[in-house]
Amino acid sequence: MTESKTIAVIPGDGIGNEVVPAAREVLAAVEPDFEFVEGEAGDAVKEDTGTALPKETRELAATADATLFGAAGETAADVILPLRQIVGSFANVRPVRAYPGVEAPNPETDLVFVRENTEGVYAGHEAEIAPGVTTLTRVVTESASREIARYGFEYAAERDLSVTVAHKANVMRETDGLFLETAQAVGSEYDVPSDDALMDALAMHLVQRPADYDVVICPNLAGDMLSDLAAGLVGGLGLLPSANIGPERALFEPVHGTAPDIAGDGVANPSAAMLSAAMLLEYFDYDEAGQRVRSAVESTLEAGPHTPDLGGGATTSDVTAAVLERL
Ligand code: NAI
Ligand code: MG
């Protein structure tokens, strides 16, 4: 084991306060060399202090080796977008898998979205240029396109996977033209099978034949939408982890939000947060510990107990106890 790592733990609002502590317990069980520091963010802290992302929390995320985040409610955009910026995250990695024991519309699904995380239509250049007329400027740079393509092709090369580059370069000729051209140039340096796909047709093919895809490199908005679409193929949001990777630090979070409909009931599915913790371990190259967490979550998904979103009657703490026991 190397030197101790500092992990910022930011549960946020709603079920973030239920699933993040569960994931933290799992991390503590496999990696005793982590020092956890808690930070506040979201609706509740905004109500108390007037800001959704207090200065102390920003500093914590900026200096910790990694951050484990839950979800924020109405203030989500004021919390997660700056947090991603603070860790310098250029890649949003979202694996989508079906698991034995969980009913999935398409049990063959096993792919990962590598989503550009800094620009595109989420660059924040929106304006009302006249009453009743609004515009949005889509930003695509060669450097960000190269970075995301490099990350996606490296990811595929390390795991013997293929790459699909999603785009709409036939219509957005300048922006997605640059994105596609840059990704193809990067791809030519790798011995990785690759192709490209128009994002609208890809949405249909993902539903019909998800098994045809491994790594899908996407512009920002396309990655956001296609990964949620794929979530629907595997039985829901309670299963989907994600990583926001930067050059020196990274933030890990379940894809889901605060789930106000079940928050406080103690029945949130902690799997997505725990699988995000497994990605955190793998980020530090603690591959064996990451695999142990993954296996414990998977065998719990297979054998139960299950929370209500998966058709069971178990609580978050029942599932957490079952995962900890398997560890
Ligand atoms: P959501 O993901 O919170 O909930 C959608 C549905 O999935 C709900 O029925 C919920 O009960 C269920 N669900 C989600 N995670 C679950 C889990 N772990 N276990 C069991 N069931 C689960 O999305 P929604 O309803 O669109 O948003 C609710 C709030 O969360 C909003 O205020 C939104 O702004 C925020 N949000 C925050 C995000 C973030 O901080 N990264 C991401 C998405 C939403
Ligand atoms: Mg989304």
Coordinates of all heavy atoms in Angstrom, one line a residue, residues 11-13 15 19 43 69-77 79-81 84 94 228 236-240 242 251 253-263 267-273 307-310 316, ligand 1:
P11 N -22.0 14.1 0.8 CA -23.2 13.4 0.5 C -24.3 14.2 -0.2 O -25.1 13.7 -1.0 CB -23.7 13.0 1.9 CG -22.5 13.1 2.8 CD -21.7 14.2 2.2
G12 N -24.3 15.5 0.1 CA -25.3 16.4 -0.5 C -26.7 16.3 0.1 O -26.8 16.3 1.4
D13 N -27.7 16.2 -0.7 CA -29.1 16.2 -0.2 C -29.8 14.8 -0.4 O -29.3 13.9 -1.2 CB -30.0 17.2 -1.0 CG -29.5 18.6 -0.8 OD1 -29.2 19.0 0.3 OD2 -29.3 19.3 -1.9
I15 N -31.3 11.2 -0.8 CA -30.7 9.9 -0.6 C -29.2 9.9 -0.7 O -28.5 8.9 -0.4 CB -31.3 8.8 -1.6 CG1 -30.9 9.2 -3.0 CG2 -32.8 8.6 -1.3 CD1 -31.1 8.0 -4.0
V19 N -27.0 6.9 0.7 CA -26.1 5.9 -0.1 C -24.6 6.3 0.1 O -23.8 5.3 0.0 CB -26.5 5.9 -1.6 CG1 -27.9 5.4 -1.8 CG2 -26.3 7.3 -2.3
D43 N -29.0 21.8 -1.3 CA -30.1 22.7 -0.9 C -30.1 23.0 0.6 O -30.3 24.2 1.0 CB -31.4 21.9 -1.2 CG -31.6 21.6 -2.7 OD1 -30.8 22.0 -3.5 OD2 -32.6 20.9 -3.0
F69 N -19.1 11.9 -4.1 CA -20.2 12.9 -4.0 C -21.5 12.0 -4.1 O -21.6 11.0 -4.8 CB -20.1 13.9 -5.2 CG -21.3 14.8 -5.3 CD1 -21.5 15.8 -4.3 CD2 -22.1 14.7 -6.4 CE1 -22.6 16.7 -4.4 CE2 -23.2 15.6 -6.5 CZ -23.4 16.6 -5.5
G70 N -22.6 12.6 -3.5 CA -23.9 11.9 -3.6 C -24.7 12.6 -4.7 O -24.6 12.3 -5.8
A71 N -25.6 13.5 -4.3 CA -26.4 14.3 -5.2 C -26.8 15.5 -4.5 O -27.0 15.6 -3.3 CB -27.6 13.5 -5.7
A72 N -27.1 16.6 -5.3 CA -27.7 17.8 -4.8 C -29.1 17.9 -5.4 O -29.3 17.4 -6.5 CB -26.9 19.0 -5.0
G73 N -30.0 18.6 -4.7 CA -31.4 18.7 -5.2 C -31.6 19.8 -6.2 O -31.0 19.8 -7.3
E74 N -32.3 20.8 -5.9 CA -32.6 21.9 -6.8 C -31.3 22.7 -7.2 O -31.2 23.3 -8.2 CB -33.6 22.9 -6.2 CG -35.1 22.4 -6.4 CD -36.1 23.1 -5.6 OE1 -35.8 24.3 -5.3 OE2 -37.1 22.6 -5.3
T75 N -30.4 22.6 -6.3 CA -29.1 23.4 -6.5 C -28.1 22.5 -7.3 O -26.9 22.9 -7.3 CB -28.5 23.8 -5.1 OG1 -28.3 22.6 -4.3 CG2 -29.4 24.8 -4.4
A76 N -28.5 21.4 -7.8 CA -27.6 20.5 -8.5 C -26.6 21.2 -9.4 O -25.4 21.0 -9.4 CB -28.3 19.4 -9.2
A77 N -27.1 22.1 -10.3 CA -26.3 22.7 -11.3 C -25.2 23.6 -10.6 O -24.1 23.8 -11.1 CB -27.1 23.5 -12.2
V79 N -23.9 23.0 -7.8 CA -23.0 22.2 -7.0 C -22.1 21.3 -7.9 O -20.9 21.4 -7.9 CB -23.8 21.3 -6.0 CG1 -22.8 20.3 -5.3 CG2 -24.5 22.1 -5.0
I80 N -22.7 20.5 -8.7 CA -21.9 19.5 -9.4 C -21.1 20.1 -10.6 O -20.0 19.7 -10.8 CB -22.8 18.3 -9.9 CG1 -21.9 17.1 -10.4 CG2 -23.9 18.7 -10.9 CD1 -21.0 16.5 -9.5
L81 N -21.7 21.1 -11.2 CA -20.9 21.7 -12.3 C -19.6 22.3 -11.8 O -18.5 22.1 -12.3 CB -21.7 22.7 -13.2 CG -22.9 22.0 -13.9 CD1 -23.7 23.0 -14.8 CD2 -22.5 20.8 -14.8
R84 N -17.1 19.6 -10.7 CA -16.4 19.0 -11.8 C -15.3 19.9 -12.3 O -14.2 19.4 -12.6 CB -17.4 18.7 -12.9 CG -18.3 17.5 -12.7 CD -19.3 17.3 -13.8 NE -20.2 16.2 -13.5 CZ -21.4 16.0 -14.0 NH1 -21.8 16.9 -14.9 NH2 -22.2 15.0 -13.7
R94 N -19.1 6.6 -17.6 CA -20.4 6.0 -17.1 C -20.6 4.6 -17.7 O -21.1 4.4 -18.8 CB -21.6 6.9 -17.6 CG -21.6 8.3 -17.0 CD -22.8 9.0 -17.5 NE -23.1 10.2 -16.7 CZ -24.2 10.9 -16.7 NH1 -25.2 10.5 -17.5 NH2 -24.3 12.0 -16.0
D228 N -28.3 8.0 -20.1 CA -29.5 7.8 -19.3 C -30.4 6.8 -20.1 O -31.1 6.0 -19.5 CB -30.3 9.1 -19.2 CG -29.8 9.8 -17.9 OD1 -28.7 9.6 -17.5 OD2 -30.6 10.6 -17.3
G236 N -32.5 0.6 -14.3 CA -32.7 1.8 -13.5 C -31.5 2.4 -13.0 O -30.3 1.9 -13.0
L237 N -31.7 3.6 -12.4 CA -30.7 4.5 -12.0 C -29.9 4.0 -10.7 O -28.8 4.5 -10.5 CB -31.2 5.9 -11.7 CG -31.5 6.7 -12.9 CD1 -32.4 7.9 -12.6 CD2 -30.2 7.2 -13.5
G238 N -30.6 3.2 -9.9 CA -29.9 2.8 -8.7 C -28.7 1.9 -8.9 O -28.0 1.6 -7.9
L239 N -28.4 1.6 -10.1 CA -27.3 0.7 -10.4 C -26.1 1.4 -11.1 O -25.1 0.8 -11.4 CB -27.7 -0.4 -11.4 CG -28.8 -1.3 -10.9 CD1 -29.3 -2.2 -12.0 CD2 -28.3 -2.1 -9.7
L240 N -26.3 2.7 -11.5 CA -25.3 3.3 -12.4 C -24.3 4.2 -11.6 O -24.6 5.3 -11.1 CB -26.0 4.2 -13.4 CG -26.8 3.5 -14.5 CD1 -27.0 4.4 -15.7 CD2 -26.2 2.2 -14.9
S242 N -20.5 6.6 -11.7 CA -19.8 7.4 -12.7 C -18.6 7.9 -12.1 O -18.4 8.0 -10.8 CB -20.7 8.5 -13.2 OG -20.8 9.5 -12.3
L251 N -13.6 12.9 -9.3 CA -14.8 12.8 -8.4 C -15.7 11.7 -8.9 O -15.9 11.5 -10.1 CB -15.5 14.2 -8.6 CG -16.8 14.4 -7.8 CD1 -17.0 15.8 -7.4 CD2 -18.1 14.0 -8.6
E253 N -19.4 9.6 -8.4 CA -20.8 9.9 -8.0 C -21.7 8.9 -8.7 O -21.5 8.5 -9.8 CB -21.2 11.3 -8.3 CG -21.0 11.6 -9.8 CD -21.6 12.9 -10.3 OE1 -22.6 13.4 -9.7 OE2 -21.2 13.4 -11.3
P254 N -22.8 8.5 -8.0 CA -23.9 7.8 -8.7 C -24.5 8.7 -9.7 O -24.5 9.9 -9.5 CB -24.8 7.4 -7.5 CG -24.6 8.4 -6.4 CD -23.1 8.8 -6.5
V255 N -25.0 8.1 -10.8 CA -25.6 8.9 -11.8 C -26.9 9.5 -11.3 O -27.3 10.6 -11.7 CB -25.8 8.1 -13.1 CG1 -26.7 8.9 -14.1 CG2 -24.5 7.7 -13.7
H256 N -27.6 8.9 -10.4 CA -28.9 9.3 -9.9 C -28.9 10.6 -9.1 O -27.8 11.1 -8.7 CB -29.6 8.2 -9.1 CG -28.9 7.8 -7.8 ND1 -28.9 8.6 -6.7 CD2 -28.3 6.7 -7.5 CE1 -28.3 8.0 -5.7 NE2 -27.9 6.8 -6.2
G257 N -30.0 11.2 -8.9 CA -30.2 12.4 -8.1 C -30.6 12.1 -6.7 O -30.2 11.1 -6.1
T258 N -31.3 13.0 -6.1 CA -31.6 13.0 -4.6 C -32.9 12.1 -4.3 O -33.2 11.9 -3.2 CB -31.9 14.4 -4.1 OG1 -32.9 15.0 -4.8 CG2 -30.6 15.2 -4.2
A259 N -33.6 11.7 -5.4 CA -34.7 10.8 -5.2 C -35.7 11.3 -4.1 O -35.9 10.6 -3.1 CB -34.3 9.3 -5.0
P260 N -36.3 12.5 -4.3 CA -37.1 13.1 -3.2 C -38.3 12.2 -2.9 O -38.8 12.2 -1.8 CB -37.6 14.4 -3.8 CG -37.1 14.5 -5.2 CD -36.1 13.4 -5.4
D261 N -38.7 11.3 -3.8 CA -39.9 10.5 -3.6 C -39.6 9.4 -2.5 O -40.6 8.9 -1.9 CB -40.4 9.8 -4.9 CG -39.3 9.2 -5.7 OD1 -38.1 9.5 -5.5 OD2 -39.6 8.3 -6.6
I262 N -38.4 9.0 -2.3 CA -38.0 8.0 -1.3 C -37.1 8.5 -0.3 O -36.7 7.7 0.7 CB -37.5 6.7 -2.0 CG1 -36.2 7.0 -2.8 CG2 -38.5 6.0 -2.9 CD1 -35.4 5.8 -3.2
A263 N -36.6 9.7 -0.4 CA -35.6 10.2 0.5 C -36.1 10.2 2.0 O -37.2 10.6 2.2 CB -35.1 11.6 0.2
V267 N -34.6 3.4 2.1 CA -34.8 2.3 1.2 C -34.0 2.5 -0.1 O -34.2 1.8 -1.1 CB -36.3 2.0 0.9 CG1 -36.9 1.5 2.2 CG2 -37.0 3.2 0.3
A268 N -33.2 3.6 -0.2 CA -32.4 3.8 -1.4 C -31.5 2.7 -1.7 O -30.9 2.1 -0.8 CB -31.7 5.1 -1.3
N269 N -31.3 2.4 -3.0 CA -30.4 1.4 -3.4 C -29.0 1.9 -3.4 O -28.7 2.9 -4.1 CB -30.8 1.0 -4.9 CG -30.0 -0.2 -5.4 OD1 -29.0 -0.6 -4.8 ND2 -30.4 -0.8 -6.5
P270 N -28.1 1.4 -2.5 CA -26.8 1.9 -2.4 C -25.8 1.4 -3.5 O -24.6 1.7 -3.5 CB -26.3 1.4 -1.0 CG -27.0 0.1 -0.8 CD -28.3 0.2 -1.6
S271 N -26.3 0.5 -4.4 CA -25.4 -0.1 -5.4 C -24.6 0.9 -6.2 O -23.4 0.7 -6.5 CB -26.1 -1.1 -6.3 OG -26.8 -2.0 -5.5
A272 N -25.3 1.9 -6.8 CA -24.6 2.9 -7.7 C -23.5 3.6 -6.9 O -22.4 3.8 -7.5 CB -25.7 3.9 -8.2
A273 N -23.8 4.0 -5.7 CA -22.8 4.7 -4.9 C -21.6 3.7 -4.6 O -20.4 4.1 -4.6 CB -23.4 5.2 -3.6
T307 N -33.5 -3.8 -2.6 CA -34.3 -2.6 -2.2 C -35.6 -2.6 -3.1 O -35.6 -3.3 -4.2 CB -33.5 -1.3 -2.4 OG1 -32.7 -1.4 -3.6 CG2 -32.6 -1.2 -1.2
P308 N -36.6 -1.8 -2.8 CA -37.8 -1.8 -3.5 C -37.7 -1.4 -5.0 O -38.5 -1.9 -5.8 CB -38.7 -0.7 -2.8 CG -38.1 -0.7 -1.4 CD -36.6 -1.0 -1.5
D309 N -36.7 -0.6 -5.4 CA -36.6 -0.2 -6.8 C -36.3 -1.5 -7.6 O -36.5 -1.5 -8.8 CB -35.5 0.8 -7.0 CG -34.1 0.4 -6.4 OD1 -34.1 0.0 -5.2 OD2 -33.1 0.4 -7.1
L310 N -35.7 -2.5 -7.0 CA -35.4 -3.8 -7.7 C -36.5 -4.8 -7.4 O -36.3 -6.0 -7.6 CB -34.0 -4.3 -7.3 CG -32.9 -3.3 -7.6 CD1 -31.5 -3.9 -7.3 CD2 -32.9 -2.9 -9.1
T316 N -31.8 0.1 2.9 CA -30.4 0.4 2.5 C -29.4 -0.3 3.4 O -28.4 -0.8 3.0 CB -30.1 2.0 2.6 OG1 -31.2 2.6 1.8 CG2 -28.8 2.4 2.0
Ligands
NAI1 P1 -33.5 11.0 -9.4 O1 -32.4 10.2 -9.9 O2 -33.3 11.6 -8.1 O3 -34.8 10.0 -9.3 C1 -35.4 9.4 -10.4 C2 -36.2 8.2 -10.0 O4 -35.3 7.1 -9.7 C3 -37.0 8.4 -8.7 O5 -38.2 7.6 -8.8 C4 -36.1 7.8 -7.7 O6 -36.8 7.3 -6.5 C5 -35.4 6.7 -8.4 N1 -34.0 6.4 -7.9 C6 -32.9 7.2 -8.2 N2 -31.9 6.7 -7.5 C7 -32.3 5.7 -6.7 C8 -31.7 4.8 -5.8 N3 -30.4 4.8 -5.5 N4 -32.5 3.8 -5.2 C9 -33.8 3.7 -5.6 N5 -34.4 4.5 -6.4 C10 -33.7 5.5 -7.0 O7 -33.9 12.1 -10.5 P2 -35.0 13.2 -10.5 O8 -36.2 12.8 -9.8 O9 -35.0 13.7 -11.9 O10 -34.3 14.4 -9.6 C11 -34.5 14.6 -8.3 C12 -33.6 15.7 -7.8 O11 -32.2 15.3 -7.9 C13 -33.7 17.0 -8.5 O12 -33.7 18.1 -7.6 C14 -32.5 17.1 -9.4 O13 -32.0 18.4 -9.6 C15 -31.5 16.3 -8.6 N6 -30.4 15.6 -9.4 C16 -29.1 15.8 -9.0 C17 -28.1 15.2 -9.7 C18 -26.7 15.4 -9.2 O14 -26.5 16.0 -8.1 N7 -25.7 14.9 -9.8 C19 -28.3 14.3 -10.8 C20 -29.7 14.2 -11.2 C21 -30.7 14.8 -10.5

